[in-house]
Amino acid sequence: MNKHSKTKKVLFIIMAVFASFFGALTLVFLFVLPPVGLFGVAITAIYILVAISIKQSMQGKKPIFDMFREGMRTCRKCKKTYPKKQSLTCPYCAKVREFKRKYATIIESKKMPPKDEEHSDFWEDIGMLMILDEIFDDD
């Protein structure tokens, strides 16, 4: 369990009480005033889903509603999530920047040639093969 387990337990108890209370009230209103009872069914369903989400979060599973993301930040550039306490900037983007800065000279020297140069070399090689083929042709 994580550090918020006490808070999660209290919230789970509160949501379970609300869900049972609204569930009982919904049963009564379904017979007395059906439109209000239908609204109660919706409210009860929401409380039950929130209670289930809190229970799943306490168990370490992925909850239906992820309500405990406080302290998390999403990077605008790479769309990854990281804890606010970890760093001021995205650690993933920082690693990429550091890699590019560290190996900038190597990356620059190993760049691929432009497309035109690749094509001209290819066609020069084809031309050489055609000339050799003409020279050694036994016709």
Side-chain angles (χ1 to χ4, degrees):
M1 289 199 179
N2 57 15
K3 66 180 182 174
H4 300 291
S5 61
K6 195 174 205 180
T7 306
K8 289 179 183 178
K9 285 179 186 176
V10 170
L11 283 173
F12 175 71
I13 292 170
I14 290 170
M15 289 300 146
V17 169
F18 280 167
S20 60
F21 175 74
F22 281 114
L25 249 134
T26 299
L27 287 175
V28 171
F29 276 111
L30 275 174
F31 294 113
V32 177
L33 295 169
V36 177
L38 292 175
F39 180 72
V41 168
I43 297 294
T44 304
I46 290 172
Y47 277 120
I48 289 172
L49 285 174
V50 169
I52 291 171
S53 296
I54 293 170
K55 185 68 173 174
Q56 287 174 337
S57 179
M58 286 181 355
Q59 294 172 347
K61 298 178 183 175
K62 185 178 178 192
I64 298 168
F65 298 130
D66 195 7
M67 299 175 293
F68 297 101
R69 286 191 55 159
E70 72 277 346
M72 299 297 282
R73 196 176 277 167
T74 304
C75 178
R76 292 183 198 150
K77 191 174 185 180
C78 65
K79 305 294 185 221
K80 292 191 179 185
T81 354
Y82 60 94
K84 283 183 183 177
K85 293 179 183 177
Q86 186 175 356
S87 66
L88 296 174
T89 61
C90 176
Y92 304 104
C93 293
K95 285 180 186 176
V96 171
R97 279 193 309 270
E98 179 65 25
F99 179 82
K100 285 182 178 178
R101 186 190 62 76
K102 188 175 181 182
Y103 297 107
T105 56
I106 297 171
I107 292 171
E108 288 294 322
S109 66
K110 300 293 182 187
K111 278 191 173 177
M112 297 297 289
K115 293 284 185 184
D116 295 336
E117 288 180 17
E118 288 178 10
H119 293 302
S120 65
D121 291 342
F122 171 75
W123 287 114
E124 283 179 16
D125 293 340
I126 294 294
M128 292 293 284
L129 288 174
M130 290 177 66
I131 291 171
L132 290 174
D133 185 44
E134 290 294 324
I135 292 173
F136 296 110
D137 195 18
D138 290 338
D139 284 338

